[in-house]
Amino acid sequence: MPFKARNKAGEPCRAPDHLVDATTGLCPAHAPEGRERMAELGRKGAQATAERYKRAGLEPDELGPLKNPEDARRWLELIGQAVAAGRLPNRDGQVAVRAVEAFLRAFDVGELTDRIRELEAQLKKLKRVRAA
């Protein structure tokens, strides 16, 4: 059977024989209602994919506050469990882990700054005692 339809490149359609209508010689995409049918199939496929990737995620009250390294450790454990259980997509888990890492870096800087101020105050006190 000769090809009746052509693809966008102008080449003959290469649909497998089992998809070609025996009476028209056209595949579902090139049949008269093909464009609408293919668009509908695309929408259904996108919807099915979105549903498959829609996950429960983690609720803020499940995570609790993030104020210290112990909280960060708890968050990382929950994030890991959620990714492993399929509740949280890998990409979202990676983003959440990076946020916890950024928190820990900021926490460390804050702790270091506080310690430096404390040591500076002690040094001033010692200088005053020596000067007296």
Side-chain angles (χ1 to χ4, degrees):
M1 172 180 333
F3 290 106
K4 294 183 180 180
R6 299 206 170 271
N7 63 23
K8 287 182 181 179
E11 301 165 343
C13 174
R14 295 181 189 217
D17 289 340
H18 72 279
L19 291 178
V20 177
D21 184 295
T23 57
T24 65
L26 300 174
C27 72
H30 294 113
E33 72 286 349
R35 176 174 276 162
E36 295 82 19
R37 176 75 177 128
M38 297 306 285
E40 177 62 24
L41 290 173
R43 281 190 291 278
K44 285 183 178 182
Q47 191 173 27
T49 299
E51 286 298 318
R52 186 176 52 194
Y53 286 105
K54 188 189 277 185
R55 310 250 171 96
L58 289 170
E59 296 295 324
D61 60 331
E62 209 177 341
L63 289 167
L66 180 57
K67 296 183 178 187
N68 55 50
E70 292 77 27
D71 290 342
R73 200 171 298 122
R74 181 175 37 75
W75 273 49
L76 291 172
E77 184 178 343
L78 286 168
I79 292 164
Q81 289 172 352
V83 170
R87 288 181 55 206
L88 193 64
N90 290 343
R91 187 175 189 165
D92 293 352
Q94 291 170 349
V95 170
V97 166
R98 276 190 240 122
V100 173
E101 290 170 343
F103 165 81
L104 287 171
R105 283 191 299 276
F107 184 87
D108 286 345
V109 167
E111 290 286 306
L112 185 58
T113 301
D114 291 347
R115 184 67 180 137
I116 289 171
R117 285 186 188 132
E118 198 177 293
L119 290 171
E120 286 172 340
Q122 288 176 5
L123 184 60
K124 280 183 185 179
K125 196 179 211 180
L126 285 172
K127 284 181 179 178
R128 273 187 264 136
V129 168
R130 273 195 168 169

